[in-house]
Amino acid sequence: MIGRLNHVAIAVPDLEAASEQYRNTLGAKVGEPQDEPDHGVTVVFIELPNTKVELLYPLGEKSPIAGFLEKNPAGGIHHMCYEVEDILAARDKLTEQGARVLGNGEPKIGAHKNPVLFLHPKDFNGCLIELEQVG
Amino acid sequence: MIGRLNHVAIAVPDLEAASEQYRNTLGAKVGEPQDEPDHGVTVVFIELPNTKVELLYPLGEKSPIAGFLEKNPAGGIHHMCYEVEDILAARDKLTEQGARVLGNGEPKIGAHKNPVLFLHPKDFNGCLIELEQVG
């Protein structure tokens, strides 16, 4: 069911410093900050040859990563995103097997304009997993 | 400097259950457990089309992931690994810029038989980063 690893997301306490570090110290291809008000984050995409890293910084007062950064002030790996071909089929198969989907269970449109869902970390080895429908 | 994302490593409290979940629930290509006594872990590799996920479980009494699982009993994303062409050049560039390398600063041979180093999470947004020399 799962396909490519679409991205790994890192919550960071200083978006400019983290971008600068990936661009200059680690020598990666780093994009410009993009505000995603529907998701409560500002995102910087880092293009690696085979996948992406996303730096996340809180946007607005109800950012879903504000709590994570309170618990992890230095930042940390926040989630990983697997691609699926059919997000509703994936959701139905997972929930039939007892896995929990966060929120109301319906896909939202993610930062890449594709439908996404998040799975409950307690059902997946403590990892927050995003599923993104591609193609 | 950094190239491909070689893998994301997830520390898990039950290697058999996690392998079964990735194989049957998430439908991924999951290998057999491999003991890595030099690294204090048993590893299961999950082959995605563009990268790998590694499930880690403690092996022996001084496993470097035992403390992580004590703090995160459900498991969690433990580290991410970027490929580099020349690990000594990468190390020297990073340490010149003030980043800290874990251990004695010399590369060890990793689970893929290539030289690896780990960077201090406090210097990289709370993320434990492994560098692996490939090719």
Side-chain angles (χ1 to χ4, degrees), chain A residues 15 31-37 41-45 55 57 59 111-113:
Chain A
L15 193 57
E32 293 303 313
Q34 298 178 21
D35 286 347
E36 301 283 348
V41 288
T42 300
V43 182
V44 166
F45 294 109
L55 304 178
Y57 185 78
L59 176 68
H112 311 122
K113 317 300 176 205

Side-chain angles (χ1 to χ4, degrees), chain A residues 16 18 28 31 34 37 39 48 59 72 74 77 83 86 105 108 123 127:
Chain A
E16 199 176 317
Q34 298 178 21
H39 298 275
L48 302 181
L59 176 68
N72 304 279
I77 303 175
E83 297 179 357
D86 182 335
K108 290 188 180 178
D123 298 336
C127 303

Side-chain angles (χ1 to χ4, degrees), chain A residues 20-86:
Chain A
E20 204 274 339
Q21 181 182 53
Y22 268 85
R23 185 180 291 119
N24 295 324
T25 306
L26 292 170
K29 187 176 168 190
V30 177
E32 293 303 313
Q34 298 178 21
D35 286 347
E36 301 283 348
D38 290 351
H39 298 275
V41 288
T42 300
V43 182
V44 166
F45 294 109
I46 300 168
E47 299 267 356
L48 302 181
N50 60 332
T51 189
K52 289 190 291 287
V53 173
E54 294 185 9
L55 304 178
L56 303 179
Y57 185 78
L59 176 68
E61 290 186 4
K62 286 187 181 176
S63 173
I65 62 163
F68 182 88
L69 281 171
E70 266 171 41
K71 281 186 211 149
N72 304 279
I77 303 175
H78 183 262
H79 70 265
M80 51 204 295
C81 174
Y82 296 128
E83 297 179 357
V84 294
E85 285 186 11
D86 182 335

